[in-house]
Amino acid sequence: MIRLLMLDIDGTLTRDRGVDELEPEAIRAIQEARGRVLIGIATGNAMIVAKSLARYVGVGASAPIIAENGCLVSIEGREVPLCSRSVKELGVELARRLGLSLSYQFNCRSFDAAFEITGNEDELVRRIRSAIREMGEEAQVESSGYAIHVMPPGVSKYTAILEVCRRLGVDCGDVAYVGDGRTDVEAVKSVGWGVAVAN
């Protein structure tokens, strides 16, 4: 039985990867499921963006929310950091060295850094990983298709789902996760019901 439904935002609740508009069919499905199952958000976006969206789509700001690709969770409105260190300063240095543009959400982030995708995203990921190695730093680098994320080691949306489940007393086998990108793969494969959207 599904007790917790966790939803990615970009490319999952939006019409498609090229558009920031929410998909009305997805919002209707959320409205229909409300009250029958606990619904939460799991995103690479900053917490302030995730909480705002959760409120406007009807999930509620007190719902389980995973932000910054697992670095930060909010349960019943209380924010809990899951990362022991921030890579924001590393992000600033990478932007300077590589001529990258930090995401418009950068100042709202606590732990990770996100860059705008300009050019070939796989090549940008390789360049960032190479620069991190040259600097002697440790960080994960992944593209969500909307941004390139630099995250502290050992964190993911899935590790955050495990913590949400622990705090809510929900078995991970009773979780459904819906996503669309590389940052969703581990969660899709690891919960009871993993779903990749058709688009």
Side-chain angles (χ1 to χ4, degrees):
M1 165 172 106
I2 297 173
R3 294 181 57 201
L4 174 61
L5 171 61
M6 295 299 292
L7 303 167
D8 176 45
I9 297 174
D10 297 319
T12 301
L13 296 183
T14 59
R15 286 186 184 271
D16 61 43
R17 287 191 163 272
V19 178
D20 289 334
E21 299 169 11
L22 294 172
E23 172 57 56
E25 188 176 338
I27 305 310
R28 277 192 297 278
I30 289 170
Q31 301 302 317
E32 289 174 18
R34 254 184 14 181
R36 295 186 299 178
V37 63
L38 181 60
I39 303 172
I41 301 288
T43 183
N45 287 297
M47 183 61 78
I48 191 170
V49 173
K51 279 188 175 182
S52 297
L53 183 65
R55 183 172 155 247
Y56 284 110
V57 299
V59 172
S62 65
I65 298 173
I66 296 168
E68 298 187 44
N69 289 301
C71 289
L72 190 59
V73 298
S74 177
I75 301 172
E76 297 174 351
R78 184 173 160 261
E79 291 183 21
V80 179
L82 299 183
C83 291
S84 58
R85 70 178 183 98
S86 173
V87 294
K88 281 185 73 171
E89 288 182 26
L90 174 61
V92 171
E93 181 59 20
L94 288 166
R96 187 191 68 74
R97 284 184 185 213
L98 301 175
L100 301 174
S101 297
L102 288 161
S103 155
Y104 74 95
Q105 298 177 20
F106 182 75
N107 290 333
C108 298
R109 293 176 177 276
S110 300
F111 295 98
D112 78 344
F115 300 96
E116 293 177 12
I117 297 175
T118 54
N120 181 292
E121 69 184 285
D122 291 330
E123 179 57 33
L124 287 171
V125 167
R126 280 192 290 279
R127 285 180 56 215
I128 293 169
R129 286 179 178 159
S130 177
I132 290 170
R133 278 192 303 274
E134 288 172 12
M135 295 166 68
E137 297 283 349
E138 284 188 50
Q140 301 178 91
V141 182
E142 194 62 73
S143 175
S144 65
Y146 287 86
I148 296 175
H149 298 269
V150 176
M151 303 162 286
V155 68
S156 68
K157 290 180 182 179
Y158 175 63
T159 59
I161 287 172
L162 289 176
E163 182 63 18
V164 167
C165 288
R166 186 185 73 75
R167 289 175 178 265
L168 295 177
V170 173
D171 187 282
C172 201
D174 295 333
V175 176
Y177 183 90
V178 184
D180 74 312
R182 294 177 189 166
T183 57
D184 300 309
V185 172
E186 185 183 16
V188 167
K189 287 181 174 181
S190 303
V191 297
W193 288 272
V195 180
V197 293
N199 66 359

